[in-house]
Amino acid sequence: QINNLWDIVPAVPGDRFLSMLPPWHAYERSTEYFIFTHGIQQVYTTVKHLKADLQHHQPHYIISVPLVYETLYSSIQRQISASPPARKTVALALIKISLLFMEAKKIYEGTVLSNSPVKPSFIFYMFNYLRARIVAALLWPLHNLAKMLVYKKIHSSIGISKAGISGGGSLPMHVDKFFEVEDWQ
C-alpha cells in the first residue's frame, strides 16, 4: 500500500499532510510511512481543531475518515442553500454541469468503473468514447467557470490545495463525486 499510494497521491517534498486519523489506525500508519519516505511534512489535528488547523497550516492533502468529508460537504451545501436565490441557482447549476463533465471525462479517459463482467463491443466503446468527448468539450467552458466561481471559494474556505484522502471506509457516492469534481488543482 505504501508503494501504491504514490500512484494516487503524487506528493513531493515540501507538501503538507493534515491528518485526523489516530497514529495507531492502519491506514494512518501506512500513509505515515509513505509521507516519511518522501520527505513530506505531517501535521496532526483533532475534530476540535480541524477548522483552525486547515486555515493555519494550509495543507496540500488531508487524511481523514469519511465522516469528516461528509461534514465538509454538508457545510458547503448549507452555505450554498443560504445564499441569495440567484447565486444559489447558479452555484447548483454549475456543480451539476461539473458532475456531468467529470462523468464524460471518466468515460473517454477509460477510468469509469463498471460492475459488468462483459466487455462492451468495440463499436459500443467507440460510440461512448466519441459521445463523451463531445459532451466534455461542450461542458468544459462551463466546468472552468464553475472552478472559478464556485470551487475556488470552496478551496479558499477549506484550505486544502491538492486532495483529500479518505481512510477507514468508503465515502458516500455523492460526496466522493462532489470532491472529485473540485479537481483540487
Side-chain angles (χ1 to χ4, degrees):
Q1 193 165 22
I2 296 165
N3 293 334
N4 292 334
L5 197 54
W6 177 257
D7 295 333
I8 300 164
V9 184
V12 295
D15 279 353
R16 265 180 315 285
F17 275 68
L18 183 66
S19 180
M20 286 192 57
L21 296 175
W24 55 86
H25 190 283
Y27 193 71
E28 172 64 32
R29 186 58 55 95
S30 62
T31 55
E32 281 176 351
Y33 293 149
F34 168 77
I35 289 166
F36 298 148
T37 59
H38 286 85
I40 300 163
Q41 179 184 6
Q42 180 156 10
V43 178
Y44 294 95
T45 190
T46 62
V47 172
K48 182 179 176 182
H49 298 104
L50 176 62
K51 189 172 183 175
D53 284 341
L54 282 169
Q55 294 300 315
H56 175 58
H57 295 289
Q58 293 289 303
H60 298 95
Y61 299 93
I62 181 171
I63 304 167
S64 192
V65 293
L67 182 58
V68 170
Y69 296 101
E70 291 175 51
T71 303
L72 286 172
Y73 173 82
S74 295
S75 174
I76 292 165
Q77 292 300 317
R78 277 194 305 277
Q79 288 178 345
I80 291 171
S81 293
S83 299
R87 185 179 291 180
K88 175 184 172 181
T89 302
V90 168
L92 292 175
L94 288 173
I95 289 169
K96 187 168 285 241
I97 287 167
S98 287
L99 288 167
L100 293 171
F101 170 80
M102 291 302 290
E103 285 300 315
K105 184 179 174 196
K106 284 194 284 187
I107 291 170
Y108 78 74
E109 288 179 343
T111 58
V112 68
L113 298 176
S114 172
N115 289 335
S116 175
V118 178
K119 190 173 182 176
S121 71
F122 179 76
I123 293 171
F124 181 78
Y125 172 80
M126 286 307 294
F127 174 76
N128 273 345
Y129 173 84
L130 292 172
R131 184 177 57 81
R133 286 296 273 192
I134 292 167
V135 168
L138 293 172
L139 295 178
W140 181 78
L142 294 171
H143 172 66
N144 281 333
L145 183 62
K147 286 170 69 173
M148 290 182 345
L149 297 178
V150 179
Y151 295 115
K152 187 176 179 181
K153 290 180 183 179
I154 293 171
H155 285 220
S156 66
S157 68
I158 294 177
I160 304 166
S161 63
K162 291 189 178 177
I165 304 163
S166 181
S170 61
L171 288 169
M173 190 60 70
H174 67 282
V175 175
D176 189 21
K177 286 183 178 187
F178 177 80
F179 285 111
E180 178 185 30
V181 166
E182 284 198 52
D183 202 26
W184 296 95
Q185 295 179 17

